[in-house]
């Protein structure tokens, strides 16, 4: 199956914490970083997720925010450090490619935000992704 989701990073489930309806699933990405996905308990069961399960973390580019430094006092659990490799701007939006350990992320942000953050190839950034915006797929 082909998907329009640009961000598809391989990893391995390290922990599943189940609630009544939702679960948090911690995934160790190929580059060694951890990412948390908040998905339905039904999805956990249907995918057979448990520690050791190989997965792909999927994130739409519109759900990847960027900061130029780590952010404290924020509810966003997933903060992946990286370096900008490319910035393509249009009239209103910008597509920013970010190399992270073990993969690459694409962030769709406003052109104004890219300008305000002075994003260019080589800029150090932190990709911010809410756990509710991370989907998981099994091979």
């Amino acid at each position: 199956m082909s998907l329009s989701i640009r961000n598809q990073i391989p990893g391995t489930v390290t922990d599943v914490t189940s609630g009544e309806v939702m679960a948090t699933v911690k995934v160790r990405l190929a580059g060694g970083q951890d990412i948390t996905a908040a998905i339905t308990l039904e999805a956990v069961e249907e995918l057979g997720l448990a520690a050791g399960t190989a997965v792909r973390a999927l994130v739409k580019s519109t759900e990847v925010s960027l900061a130029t430094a780590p952010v404290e006092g924020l509810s966003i659990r997933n903060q992946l450090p990286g370096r900008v490799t490319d910035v393509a701007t249009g009239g209103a939006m910008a597509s920013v490619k970010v190399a992270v350990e073990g993969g690459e992320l694409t962030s769709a942000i406003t052109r104004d935000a890219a300008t305000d953050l002075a994003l260019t190839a080589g800029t150090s950034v932190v990709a911010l992704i809410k756990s509710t915006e991370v989907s998981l797929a099994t091979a």
Side-chain angles (χ1 to χ4, degrees):
M1 170 186 345
S2 295
L3 297 173
S4 64
I5 296 175
R6 299 296 87 202
N7 301 312
Q8 302 182 28
I9 302 175
T12 304
V13 173
T14 58
D15 186 54
V16 177
T17 303
S18 299
E20 291 182 24
V21 177
M22 299 288 290
T24 56
V25 181
K26 292 190 180 184
V27 176
R28 172 80 29 93
L29 300 178
Q33 318 89 317
D34 292 318
I35 192 168
T36 299
I39 62 175
T40 65
L41 189 55
E42 183 178 8
V44 169
E45 293 167 356
E46 286 178 3
L47 294 171
L49 299 180
T53 304
V55 295
R56 284 195 171 273
L58 310 171
V59 183
K60 289 177 61 175
S61 60
T62 53
E63 301 302 334
V64 179
S65 297
L66 299 175
T68 54
V71 182
E72 293 184 25
L74 190 65
S75 66
I76 297 176
R77 298 293 83 194
N78 301 310
Q79 298 192 30
L80 303 175
R83 191 164 297 282
V84 173
T85 59
D86 186 55
V87 179
T89 57
M93 297 297 291
S95 176
V96 182
K97 294 195 182 300
V98 177
V100 297
E101 288 293 325
E104 182 178 71
L105 292 172
T106 299
S107 174
I109 60 176
T110 65
R111 179 182 178 146
D112 290 345
T115 300
D116 290 349
L117 294 173
L119 298 179
T120 60
T123 303
S124 292
V125 294
V126 177
L128 306 167
I129 308 165
K130 290 179 65 173
S131 59
T132 53
E133 301 305 328
V134 178
S135 297
L136 298 175
T138 53

